[in-house]
Amino acid sequence: MRKIKCCFTGLFLSALLFSGCSVSKFIPEGHYLLDDVKIESDNREVKPSQMNAYVRQTPNAKWFSLFKLPLAIYSASGRDSTKWMNRFLRKIGEAPRIYDPELSEETRQQIEQAVQNMGYMGARVELSEHKKNDRLKARYRIFTGEPYIVEHIAYDINDYKIDDYMLADSAHTLLHPGMRFDVNQLDAERQRITRYLQDHGYYRFNKDFITYQADTMLNTRKVDLTMQLMPYQRKKEDEPTPHRQYVVREVNYLIDVEESDPASILPQDYDSLTYKGLNLYFNKKPFLRPSVLADNTFLRPGRQYRSRDVQNTYSALGRLNILKYSNIRFREEVREDSAYLDAFITLSRNKNKSLAFEIEGTNSAGDLGAAASVAYTHRNLFRGSETFTAKVRGAYEAITGLEGYANNNYMEYAVETGLSFPEFMFPFLSSDFKRRIRATSEVTAKFNWQVRPEFERTVASAGWSYRWTRRQKANHRFDVLDVNYIYMPYRSETFKDYLDVMDEINPLLRYSYEDLMIVRMGYTYTYNSAGAAALKTSRRNSYSIRFNIEEAGNLLYVFSKMVHGHPQNGEAFQMANINFAQYVKADFDYAKNFMIDERNSLVFHVGLGLAYPYGNSKSLPFEKLYFSGGANSVRGWSVRSLGPGGYRGSDNSLDYVNHTGDMKLDLNLEYRTHLFWKLNGAAFIDAGNVWNIRNRENQPEGLFRFNRFYKQLAVAYGLGIRFDLDFLILRFDSGMKAINPMYTGKDRFPIISPKFSRDFAFHFAVGYPF
């Protein structure tokens, strides 16, 4: 292992040294390689990071902000571009960035202009070039000087209606005496006023109608600011007129009607109907019920035009899976003292039905297998964009190394059905409420049959849940009812013997392999400040929060207690002669993304979980227990191989059931960098474990205690490669154990004396771990 490390280290250093020499052949005579760009400021209010956007030329990229390996790869190529190896190295590498004085001067001017726009009218930026051999470092130094301050603000608004609106909304103004004369802030105020007026009928209003006049006092840095409103002019040669407020007169839906000009729509050319003030034009029969369109339309006849209503209508219609696209256009009609808008909303339908086939390979702890599935989707089952899905799946896996079994295989058969409604399906809810809450109602049913050499398990489930989104960043999920029925018709003699042996050591283990019913209710809240998809890493500083809480069995327990008083078997109440679970469980995840530059970021994650069985349950159902290790946890361990606490376990292949707990803690720090093409790299440090909240005879070291839990944290480190395919991210992570709480002495710290066969774990997953 040490020889391999030394070999790789030598090759790496050689590549760096070689690239330093070989890059010179790609630098023309009299030119320089741009080695570094640095921005400095003498004012804390003007941060150098704010000016990075104005840099026109940047140096070659660094992996992990340390090594210019893409440049080294490019430099390893020869001058002959006809050789395929040279072309390949240049394609995956990065050409040297040759310093351009003109781009640097443009950068200096733009930074200077940006600082002056922030209110430092006398700001200047100096550019200095530091040359060494054939390399150059560019340095921009910002001298801001004293800022100009707005002393007085006046308004010249020659339109009494708009003046009244601005006065009513003055509490939200971004301008105030004493502020810096910041051009960006002035423009933001123009945009704010424009949005406000567009939401109050001013369809033709834009920010160019708002101008500023600034007067500076002699020999001072004080500014008298005047905001002016320009009259409406569609063209320069037109006579100025007051700004008009528009009222929506008609809302027309064109369903499967392809027309380029709304004015060409004639009622007699198409079938039509009117529903709640909406006019629907279609051929033969509309593919959506009129009530669905009414519930997803925010534009209303007779109501003042609001830009917000247009965006909300687009957003609501975009949630209907049956729609391929929607388009909203307006036709104006101006009379003497009135202005009207006729809205034309064009809808184009998606495919109603689809059929998909999937074939996949599986690898569970080294056991290879294959799975196939077929899925059917209907996107408009009841003409309300209801989505019905049905999926049938079969899987086979060859199980090796499972002692005591001759028939080494695993088979799984599954059937899933679901029906999704694009609204809040609940009685007595008004249309206005449904329109405001962008909700989805889901009903699901699943059946899963697992046949393993050691046991056979049947899992049937049914669920009823709601999902809704607020402001594109916060997502809510409420599981009103989720029923799971677990039935085990067969357990092998070897497995029974194992459970009998474990009964003496861990009597709660058998509970995980008995018939059980789980009737749960839960709520999940997810927030992402960047509004980014889960698979992607945000391109700016952001954070995400996930909180989940669920409970099971409480209503059944109260009902059973009222009817029976005491359990019939003296241990637990039953429902349909089957024990039901009773517990409460809560999880919390927080991830923070720090952007270092456009290619590098640092991500921190903490995950906490706590579950407590009580009443009708002595232990959590196996599916609800926490486990540590794996691709999304402490990556130096394989899945279900760590914990609880300092529990070491045995070499028995069935011992994975003991590596579970009632509490979980995950701490992760990951440095992510873009390598080249669609490849991203990562270096990570993970820490975490699981613990029990009740003492188990065979796992005394697994009990959570405040005075020792931090000593039982497992720590791992490693590297990862990610293929970013835009629609999919394939992740390969290699982890090594650093601190192993399962051992004592020198084996507790494998980071000092690593052993590859013992301490290495490889993981393949889809998407980022957090």
Side-chain angles (χ1 to χ4, degrees):
M1 183 67 186
R2 291 179 179 176
K3 290 182 179 179
I4 295 175
K5 282 186 174 180
C6 292
C7 181
F8 275 108
T9 302
L11 289 173
F12 178 73
L13 293 176
S14 299
L16 289 180
L17 292 173
F18 178 73
S19 67
C21 301
S22 59
V23 72
S24 300
K25 63 188 176 186
F26 295 103
I27 302 175
E29 186 176 352
H31 292 76
Y32 298 90
L33 175 70
L34 181 58
D35 194 46
D36 188 32
V37 173
K38 189 174 184 180
I39 302 175
E40 298 176 351
S41 174
D42 66 348
N43 191 331
R44 291 183 179 180
E45 296 292 328
V46 181
K47 299 178 181 179
S49 59
Q50 294 176 287
M51 302 297 123
N52 288 332
Y54 303 102
V55 177
R56 300 294 304 276
Q57 189 180 31
T58 58
N60 288 93
K62 293 181 179 180
W63 284 11
F64 302 104
S65 298
L66 295 174
F67 314 110
K68 295 183 179 181
L69 287 185
L71 175 62
I73 294 172
Y74 187 97
S75 301
S77 66
R79 293 181 178 275
D80 189 355
S81 59
T82 61
K83 295 182 178 181
W84 72 268
M85 177 56 74
N86 292 337
R87 293 198 305 272
F88 174 74
L89 292 175
R90 294 184 183 186
K91 184 175 181 179
I92 66 173
E94 184 181 43
R97 304 280 178 87
I98 306 302
Y99 178 71
D100 189 333
E102 293 184 1
L103 292 179
S104 294
E105 178 57 24
E106 287 183 24
T107 299
R108 189 198 67 78
Q109 293 177 4
Q110 290 189 10
I111 294 176
E112 189 173 83
Q113 183 64 51
V115 177
Q116 291 174 356
N117 288 341
M118 294 174 67
Y120 300 93
M121 307 301 292
R124 57 187 177 87
V125 177
E126 293 183 356
L127 168 63
S128 58
E129 302 171 348
H130 303 274
K131 303 174 183 177
K132 186 177 181 181
N133 298 327
D134 54 2
R135 299 179 182 241
L136 183 145
K137 295 182 179 181
R139 182 184 183 190
Y140 299 92
R141 299 188 64 186
I142 302 172
F143 301 93
T144 61
E146 295 297 323
Y148 279 66
I149 302 298
V150 176
E151 186 176 42
H152 180 261
I153 301 176
Y155 296 88
D156 182 12
I157 310 298
N158 294 321
D159 188 312
Y160 74 93
K161 283 188 177 181
I162 292 181
D163 187 48
D164 289 343
Y165 278 120
M166 292 178 60
L167 184 62
D169 193 48
S170 59
H172 298 99
T173 183
L174 303 178
L175 307 182
H176 56 85
M179 65 175 285
R180 271 191 284 113
F181 183 60
D182 191 333
V183 174
N184 302 309
Q185 197 78 341
L186 300 183
D187 190 62
E189 175 68 1
R190 295 169 68 203
Q191 294 177 352
R192 187 194 67 81
I193 294 174
T194 298
R195 288 193 300 268
Y196 182 76
L197 293 178
Q198 286 179 349
D199 281 337
H200 287 79
Y202 291 92
Y203 171 68
R204 283 291 179 183
F205 196 90
N206 62 69
K207 70 174 186 177
D208 292 334
F209 290 116
I210 300 175
T211 61
Y212 293 101
Q213 182 177 341
D215 293 326
T216 57
M217 302 179 186
L218 186 63
N219 298 325
T220 68
R221 292 183 173 82
K222 297 179 180 180
V223 179
D224 283 341
L225 185 67
T226 302
M227 177 186 289
Q228 296 175 324
L229 175 69
M230 306 298 294
Y232 177 73
Q233 281 182 287
R234 194 163 188 173
K235 298 178 182 179
K236 291 183 178 180
E237 58 271 17
D238 292 346
E239 187 73 20
T241 60
H243 293 273
R244 291 182 179 272
Q245 287 179 284
Y246 286 78
V247 174
V248 177
R249 184 173 58 180
E250 293 182 1
V251 178
N252 306 286
Y253 267 99
L254 313 180
I255 304 174
D256 271 345
V257 175
E258 298 293 339
E259 294 291 343
S260 58
D261 182 13
S264 64
I265 298 296
L266 299 176
Q268 61 269 24
D269 294 338
Y270 302 96
D271 295 328
S272 63
L273 62 86
T274 300
Y275 181 84
K276 291 186 177 181
L278 305 181
N279 302 319
L280 278 62
Y281 298 95
F282 51 88
N283 285 312
K284 297 182 180 179
K285 185 178 181 180
F287 61 84
L288 283 171
R289 300 194 308 272
S291 60
V292 175
L293 297 178
D295 288 342
N296 289 279
T297 304
F298 290 79
L299 293 165
R300 292 295 178 185
R303 182 185 295 176
Q304 208 172 66
Y305 168 83
R306 296 194 306 178
S307 175
R308 180 173 42 184
D309 290 341
V310 178
Q311 297 304 319
N312 287 339
T313 302
Y314 267 123
S315 179
L317 294 175
R319 295 176 54 250
L320 304 181
N321 293 330
I322 189 59
L323 294 182
K324 192 174 184 179
Y325 68 84
S326 59
N327 184 33
I328 303 176
R329 292 171 293 178
F330 291 96
R331 183 174 62 190
E332 301 178 50
E333 183 173 333
V334 178
R335 297 179 180 175
E336 292 181 359
D337 297 323
S338 303
Y340 300 99
L341 290 173
D342 294 334
F344 292 85
I345 307 175
T346 305
L347 304 181
S348 178
R349 80 168 86 186
N350 207 343
K351 290 183 179 180
N352 270 20
K353 307 171 186 177
S354 63
L355 197 63
F357 298 89
E358 292 183 4
I359 298 177
E360 57 187 279
T362 61
N363 184 345
S364 301
D367 295 331
L368 301 179
S373 64
V374 55
Y376 168 79
T377 302
H378 194 303
R379 297 181 180 85
N380 199 31
L381 190 63
F382 305 120
R383 293 178 51 235
S385 194
E386 302 90 355
T387 302
F388 172 77
T389 58
K391 183 177 182 180
V392 179
R393 184 178 186 272
Y396 173 86
E397 190 174 281
I399 298 178
T400 59
L402 194 62
E403 62 272 10
Y405 298 96
N407 183 22
N408 293 334
N409 57 68
Y410 162 77
M411 290 182 291
E412 178 183 354
Y413 308 94
V415 178
E416 301 179 16
T417 60
L419 183 58
S420 175
F421 300 87
E423 60 176 319
F424 227 121
M425 295 293 292
F426 200 83
F428 312 116
L429 294 180
S430 67
S431 296
D432 288 338
F433 177 82
K434 292 181 179 180
R435 194 179 296 114
R436 291 195 305 269
I437 302 297
R438 300 172 185 174
T440 300
S441 306
E442 295 180 348
V443 179
T444 59
K446 300 178 183 179
F447 179 82
N448 184 277
W449 181 29
Q450 304 169 6
V451 182
R452 289 183 60 91
E454 68 271 35
F455 62 80
E456 183 179 330
R457 185 201 301 253
T458 299
V459 180
S461 64
W464 172 22
S465 63
Y466 296 106
R467 292 187 293 114
W468 66 95
T469 303
R470 299 287 291 179
R471 299 179 182 178
Q472 305 299 320
K473 294 182 180 181
N475 294 286
H476 306 262
R477 179 185 176 97
F478 178 40
D479 295 312
V480 179
L481 184 65
D482 185 15
V483 181
N484 288 268
Y485 169 62
I486 302 171
Y487 174 58
M488 300 196 66
Y490 164 76
R491 287 177 292 184
S492 71
E493 294 301 323
T494 304
F495 191 66
K496 289 180 181 178
D497 293 341
Y498 172 76
L499 291 178
D500 290 339
V501 172
M502 293 304 297
D503 252 351
E504 301 176 2
I505 305 172
N506 183 8
L508 297 179
L509 178 63
R510 183 183 294 274
Y511 180 75
S512 301
Y513 291 92
E514 293 180 346
D515 298 344
L516 183 66
M517 180 178 288
I518 305 173
V519 182
R520 60 174 288 274
M521 178 185 296
Y523 169 75
T524 302
Y525 172 80
T526 306
Y527 179 84
N528 192 319
S529 64
L535 281 176
K536 292 288 186 180
T537 298
S538 173
R539 294 291 90 193
R540 57 188 175 88
N541 291 340
S542 63
Y543 67 93
S544 64
I545 297 173
R546 181 184 177 276
F547 171 74
N548 174 74
I549 186 168
E550 62 180 82
E551 64 82 24
N554 289 325
L555 292 178
L556 291 179
Y557 184 83
V558 172
F559 177 78
S560 300
K561 193 78 173 176
M562 293 174 60
V563 174
H564 300 292
H566 299 283
Q568 294 179 359
N569 57 10
E571 294 183 1
F573 290 108
Q574 293 185 334
M575 186 75 175
N577 295 323
I578 299 175
N579 292 355
F580 59 85
Q582 188 177 6
Y583 65 87
V584 62
K585 182 179 182 181
D587 304 279
F588 175 79
D589 280 271
Y590 174 81
K592 175 66 176 177
N593 178 51
F594 300 92
M595 288 302 300
I596 299 173
D597 54 43
E598 62 180 6
R599 300 177 64 97
N600 299 277
S601 65
L602 188 66
V603 184
F604 168 75
H605 168 257
V606 57
L608 303 170
L610 174 63
Y612 182 71
Y614 58 95
N616 216 53
S617 297
K618 296 180 181 179
S619 174
L620 289 168
F622 182 74
E623 289 78 6
K624 298 298 180 180
L625 288 166
Y626 293 106
F627 62 88
S628 194
N632 299 323
S633 183
V634 187
R635 283 167 279 187
W637 279 259
S638 58
V639 64
R640 297 185 187 274
S641 64
L642 173 60
Y647 174 72
R648 182 172 178 179
S650 66
D651 295 331
N652 193 313
S653 60
L654 297 175
D655 194 57
Y656 69 91
V657 297
N658 287 321
H659 291 288
T660 55
D662 308 314
M663 299 179 63
K664 182 177 181 178
L665 173 62
D666 275 333
L667 300 169
N668 311 88
L669 187 65
E670 185 168 286
Y671 192 108
R672 298 173 182 172
T673 188
H674 176 67
L675 302 179
F676 52 84
W677 188 50
K678 295 184 178 293
L679 284 180
N680 297 318
F684 57 82
I685 299 175
D686 301 328
N689 208 330
V690 293
W691 293 269
N692 298 320
I693 59 176
R694 292 176 178 173
N695 193 22
R696 298 180 183 177
E697 293 183 5
N698 71 319
Q699 298 176 340
E701 64 275 35
L703 181 65
F704 178 84
R705 294 186 184 277
F706 280 103
N707 61 350
R708 72 177 184 185
F709 84 93
Y710 58 91
K711 300 176 183 178
Q712 296 175 329
L713 288 174
V715 181
Y717 62 96
L719 298 173
I721 294 291
R722 289 85 195 274
F723 288 85
D724 187 350
L725 305 177
D726 295 330
F727 62 92
L728 185 69
I729 292 178
L730 303 179
R731 174 163 58 95
F732 303 88
D733 287 335
S734 300
M736 288 287 291
K737 298 178 178 65
I739 300 176
N740 192 341
M742 301 178 181
Y743 292 88
T744 58
K746 68 175 183 179
D747 290 338
R748 180 180 175 83
F749 302 98
I751 189 172
I752 298 175
S753 55
K755 185 178 179 181
F756 189 82
S757 59
R758 178 194 63 188
D759 303 324
F760 176 78
F762 177 77
H763 307 281
F764 167 70
V766 176
Y768 284 106
F770 39 81

